[in-house]
Amino acid sequence: MGLTPASAAPAPWRFWALCGALFCLLGAACPALAGAALSGASPPPGAVTEVMERPFPLLVPLSYRWARGAAWMSALITGAPALEAGARRGLADAGLADRGGLLALSARLHSIGHLTPDDSPELAVAVRLAPAPDMPQALAGALREAELLALLRALLLDMESTLLAVRRSWPATLAEARKHAPELDAASQRLEALWRGAMAAREAPGGWMCAPEALPALERAVRGAPDNAALWLLLAEARLQGDLPQGAVTAAGEALGLLAGAAHPADARLEARARYVRGLGHWRLGQPALAEADLDAALRDAPPESAPQGAELTRRLRARGAVRLLRRNAAGMCEDFAAACALGDCEGLAAARARGHCRGGADGVDGTGTMP
């Protein structure tokens, strides 16, 4: 998708050249329309504003959705941070040092402060992005959210590809638009689906990548872009939070089917995340063997840039440890809880010891406790 293969990792100068090419292809922002398209107080320091004209002939709602997406993408490009060496290494270590990864990082570091509503009479759509109040802290936090960055990357590259395809094939007349109505409607639905997914994708309590309130929007989104694995993964997480484990298993399975054979490290990261989410679904359905198989896959040795790290790794270790407890695998359970404890999360190990397990050996782990 996009202007170069997803596996490319352009040097900084090449990234900005690609951004310039994308900006020209999408259509230049129109500064003269900015005053009409924006309203309200003056923008905060560091804010980025982009304005896109709605293409003619005016096709509702496609022209709005295209201009909204193009303005947002251009704002993300403009606001993409100039990374110091340590941050660049962090992005590269996560397999995200390409155009999509930088756009995803920009999306994590900026919130939408203003957006022209879809019922506005204006013929241009304005998007204003506000930077995070504490940018160094926000950057450090975003670089620790490799799974969320990988998911945003998949959504943004799909949106970029769709925007370019729509712009290249925009009908010259209303008669031509009527002739290609099914294709244009599908493009409109896709842009809306990707927008909903991108707006839903955010760090949520419990280590989730969306909040449970996003479930209705995501149910609609997968109908608009059923071949986007990131949307199915978000839906799986929302369903699991909504106590719909069977639906979560189904959605995660759809994501895995679309990600099968993924070569890019970011997509491999999403595949492992989908395995983890499906494993949790099987666990809640009382299917521990299937749960352990998925959690094994989510923890299996992977290329360094795709392997889970930090809090994500501890969550998967604790989940598999709990499933191994159900399967009366004391040694495996203690091994997982001890590994999580070594990473700073000792709650699972403490709970196991309180039940008489994982007490032997110099490190407190021998796995010889009698299972209940």
Side-chain angles (χ1 to χ4, degrees):
M1 293 183 290
L3 302 177
T4 60
S7 58
W13 67 267
R14 189 176 175 204
F15 167 70
W16 292 115
L18 289 170
C19 288
L22 172 63
F23 187 73
C24 292
L25 282 169
L26 290 177
C30 183
L33 294 172
L38 284 172
S39 61
S42 299
V48 177
T49 300
E50 295 288 351
V51 182
M52 286 289 169
E53 292 186 74
R54 297 170 65 177
F56 285 88
L58 203 63
L59 307 178
V60 180
L62 177 57
S63 60
Y64 171 81
R65 291 172 179 175
W66 183 90
R68 177 186 62 185
W72 185 50
M73 191 72 67
S74 293
L76 291 178
I77 290 169
T78 302
L83 300 178
E84 51 90 22
R88 287 199 302 272
R89 284 195 301 271
L91 212 55
D93 289 345
L96 294 163
D98 62 357
R99 184 185 70 259
L102 286 166
L103 287 173
L105 183 60
S106 185
R108 289 293 296 126
L109 298 177
H110 296 85
S111 59
I112 295 180
H114 172 89
L115 171 65
T116 303
D118 58 359
D119 59 355
S120 169
E122 302 291 342
L123 297 181
V125 177
V127 174
R128 177 189 292 154
L129 297 185
D134 186 343
M135 187 58 77
Q137 182 178 346
L139 176 60
L143 291 173
R144 289 193 295 268
E145 302 167 5
E147 278 67 29
L148 184 52
L149 288 176
L151 183 131
L152 279 168
R153 173 187 176 277
L155 294 171
L156 286 165
L157 288 180
D158 195 343
M159 180 178 286
E160 172 191 273
S161 177
T162 304
L163 289 168
L164 292 173
V166 169
R167 191 62 177 132
R168 285 192 297 263
S169 60
W170 196 266
T173 64
L174 287 175
E176 186 180 341
R178 284 192 290 269
K179 180 179 179 181
H180 297 284
E183 299 95 319
L184 294 170
D185 182 63
S188 177
Q189 295 300 321
R190 186 174 196 87
L191 286 174
E192 181 66 13
L194 296 169
W195 176 266
R196 289 178 184 273
M199 295 303 104
R202 64 191 63 211
E203 186 181 26
W208 301 108
M209 297 194 293
C210 65
E213 294 78 18
L215 179 58
L218 292 170
E219 292 282 6
R220 293 192 295 272
V222 295
R223 294 195 291 270
D227 59 347
N228 186 283
L231 289 176
W232 283 108
L233 177 52
L234 281 174
L235 178 60
E237 297 204 9
R239 284 176 173 175
L240 203 55
Q241 293 177 81
D243 198 24
L244 299 169
Q246 185 59 63
V249 166
T250 300
E254 293 284 352
L256 287 167
L258 292 166
L259 290 165
H264 194 282
D267 294 330
R269 187 180 293 279
L270 292 183
E271 185 174 8
R273 176 78 178 205
R275 290 278 185 190
Y276 165 65
V277 173
R278 191 171 71 172
L280 295 181
H282 282 308
W283 179 14
R284 293 192 189 181
L285 289 170
Q287 301 166 330
L290 293 174
E292 186 173 0
D294 271 331
L295 293 171
D296 281 343
L299 285 160
R300 192 170 296 139
D301 289 341
E305 62 269 27
S306 298
Q309 300 293 332
E312 182 69 17
L313 178 57
T314 61
R315 281 190 290 267
R316 296 183 194 185
L317 286 167
R318 282 193 57 191
R320 189 174 66 176
V323 168
R324 285 176 164 177
L325 172 63
L326 290 176
R327 303 200 72 202
R328 300 178 179 272
N329 179 356
M333 172 195 68
C334 294
E335 179 184 346
D336 282 344
F337 286 164
C341 187
L343 293 170
D345 184 346
C346 296
E347 185 177 345
L349 184 59
R353 286 175 171 171
R355 299 183 64 180
H357 309 305
C358 311
R359 290 182 176 277
D363 60 356
V365 179
D366 68 354
T368 60
T370 303
M371 300 301 292

